[in-house]
Amino acid sequence: MVDDLEGISVFLAVAEARNFRLAGERLGVTRSAVSQALQRLEDRVGVALVQRTTRSVSLTEAGEVFFDAVRPSVRQVKGAMQTVREMQARPSGLLRITVSSIAENFLSGTLLAGFMEACPDIKLDITITDDEFDIVEAGFDAGVRLGEVIEQDMIAISVSEEQRQCAAASRGYLERRGHPRHPRDLQNHACIGWRPRPDTAPYRWEFTENDRDFDVSVDPTITTNDMGMMIRMACAGRAGITFGMAETFQPYIERGELVPLLEDFCPPFPGFYLYYPRRQRQPLKLRALVDYVRRFDGR
């Protein structure tokens, strides 16, 4: 059995390199050892697998069939062996993650601090951005986004409860201008808007009425790409009404600095997810994060 596995590995190296010397260099053995191991394999299977000439090496018809049959299996065996080895290893290395600026629960630090304590050999590089892009092409291991904007070919794991958007304003502003009763009323109010970049239009505020989704194009008196600035301006009292994730506004609402508005038009929706590409073998450092997120009960 051991001889068969050794012979198959030699055969695959020859089939891929089409050269005995190159196959030997890849395996760390001599050209003669490659030839002998291949000959023993052919003797055991009872058919020639490789056609040898003084100038070239090619596969016979039987060799082509054998190559197509054993190559995937050998890769699976090697992958399984590597996986078992990694089970005894400590996850380490640089883990690059891109995170939405409004993923409050993930960015609060509790989950990540616990993960770093559990895996001290991993270093985190976290980029906070609301741009949508291919994380694989950009060199990130994983990302955290709202589920509705994650590509279908990604694996996604929940890292938050359901989310909800709402409008909010200070009591002082509402005393002067009154409460909007319907999202359409926002067009008669001063608003604080958001957009991800200067070259994009302000975000259209989204609502639901009678199970029908619609949006309102407000004309913001202030527009920014920073949620913190939006909240500070709203709390200041005169800038107007702002709009965002209820989870982000909650501490300000609890302190009485902001008043939630139009909540009947803002039903909950699936929240934030850690997402990463489908691969046959995930890097150990990423698997460590995924396993920790699945066990985490601090949401």
Side-chain angles (χ1 to χ4, degrees):
M1 181 64 177
V2 174
D3 288 342
D4 286 342
L5 292 176
E6 179 185 358
I8 290 172
S9 296
V10 170
F11 165 74
L12 289 177
V14 171
E16 291 170 352
R18 301 300 169 105
N19 184 288
F20 278 37
R21 180 182 58 79
L22 293 178
E25 291 177 355
R26 180 182 300 180
L27 297 170
V29 297
T30 65
R31 182 186 186 285
S32 175
V34 170
S35 179
Q36 293 172 16
L38 184 58
Q39 184 63 60
R40 289 194 297 269
L41 176 64
E42 290 178 323
D43 290 342
R44 287 193 293 274
V45 299
V47 64
L49 301 174
V50 174
Q51 179 67 45
R52 311 161 177 81
T53 69
T54 56
R55 295 186 177 180
S56 65
V57 174
S58 60
L59 299 184
T60 64
E61 182 179 359
E64 294 282 3
V65 172
F66 192 66
F67 177 74
D68 291 339
V70 302
R71 189 183 192 192
S73 299
V74 170
R75 284 185 171 177
Q76 289 180 352
V77 169
K78 289 181 177 179
M81 292 176 65
Q82 181 64 27
T83 298
V84 171
R85 291 191 192 102
E86 288 184 350
M87 289 175 64
Q88 305 302 317
R90 289 166 60 95
S92 62
L94 181 65
L95 189 62
R96 300 188 66 220
I97 308 173
T98 172
V99 184
S100 169
S101 67
I102 54 174
E104 292 289 331
N105 188 69
F106 190 85
L107 292 173
S108 67
T110 304
L111 185 152
L112 292 177
F115 171 68
M116 296 303 293
E117 184 177 5
C119 301
D121 294 332
I122 290 180
K123 294 182 179 180
L124 286 179
D125 184 322
I126 301 173
T127 297
I128 311 299
T129 177
D130 295 300
D131 289 343
E132 295 180 21
F133 54 87
D134 185 334
I135 61 171
V136 176
E137 183 178 341
F140 288 94
D141 296 290
V144 175
R145 289 283 183 276
L146 287 172
E148 61 190 28
V149 298
I150 296 175
E151 297 88 342
Q152 293 299 311
D153 60 346
M154 293 284 176
I155 299 175
I157 303 171
S158 175
V159 291
S160 79
E161 303 291 348
E162 285 189 324
Q163 297 293 301
R164 193 170 58 80
Q165 295 194 105
C166 74
S170 70
R171 295 185 186 279
Y173 175 84
L174 296 173
E175 288 172 359
R176 289 191 302 274
R177 299 290 300 272
H179 288 62
R181 303 301 177 187
H182 190 278
R184 287 190 296 268
D185 298 339
L186 291 168
Q187 295 175 342
N188 299 319
H189 282 267
C191 293
I192 305 166
W194 176 86
R195 62 181 175 188
R197 299 184 307 275
D199 59 346
T200 58
Y203 170 70
R204 296 172 67 94
W205 296 8
E206 299 176 289
F207 300 94
T208 300
E209 184 177 25
N210 298 324
D211 296 324
R212 183 180 64 86
D213 298 331
F214 66 99
D215 56 53
V216 175
S217 178
V218 299
D219 183 18
T221 54
I222 298 174
T223 305
T224 178
N225 68 335
D226 181 71
M227 178 59 68
M229 173 61 73
M230 294 168 65
I231 291 174
R232 287 191 291 273
M233 294 304 299
C235 290
R238 296 183 178 276
I241 299 171
T242 192
F243 188 79
M245 306 299 288
E247 184 179 68
T248 304
F249 293 150
Q250 192 59 37
Y252 303 89
I253 293 172
E254 291 175 354
R255 293 194 297 266
E257 298 177 64
L258 291 176
V259 176
L261 305 169
L262 303 172
E263 292 184 285
D264 291 342
F265 300 93
C266 300
F269 54 86
F272 293 93
Y273 290 79
L274 173 74
Y275 68 100
Y276 52 95
R278 296 180 184 275
R279 292 174 180 152
Q280 188 173 5
R281 290 183 58 254
Q282 296 292 345
L284 183 58
K285 59 186 178 181
L286 177 56
R287 291 212 309 273
L289 176 62
V290 170
D291 290 344
Y292 187 85
V293 167
R294 284 177 170 153
R295 296 192 305 266
F296 185 69
D297 60 1
R299 293 199 294 260

Coordinates of all heavy atoms in Angstrom, one line a residue, residues 30 32 63 119 202 243:
T30 N 16.4 11.5 -7.1 CA 17.1 11.5 -8.3 C 16.2 11.1 -9.5 O 15.2 10.5 -9.3 CB 18.3 10.5 -8.2 OG1 17.8 9.2 -8.0 CG2 19.2 10.9 -7.0
S32 N 16.9 8.7 -11.5 CA 16.9 7.3 -11.5 C 15.8 6.7 -10.5 O 15.1 5.8 -10.8 CB 18.3 6.7 -11.1 OG 18.3 5.3 -11.0
G63 N -2.4 5.8 -19.2 CA -1.9 6.8 -18.3 C -2.8 8.0 -18.1 O -2.9 8.5 -17.0
C119 N -6.9 33.8 20.5 CA -5.9 33.5 19.5 C -4.8 34.6 19.5 O -4.8 35.5 18.6 CB -6.5 33.5 18.1 SG -7.8 32.2 18.0
P202 N -26.9 61.6 -2.2 CA -27.2 61.2 -0.8 C -28.1 60.0 -0.8 O -28.9 59.8 -1.7 CB -27.9 62.5 -0.4 CG -27.4 63.6 -1.2 CD -27.2 63.0 -2.5
F243 N -31.1 60.0 9.9 CA -31.7 58.7 9.6 C -30.5 57.7 9.6 O -29.5 57.9 9.1 CB -32.3 58.7 8.2 CG -33.1 57.5 7.9 CD1 -34.4 57.3 8.4 CD2 -32.6 56.5 7.1 CE1 -35.1 56.1 8.1 CE2 -33.3 55.3 6.8 CZ -34.6 55.2 7.3

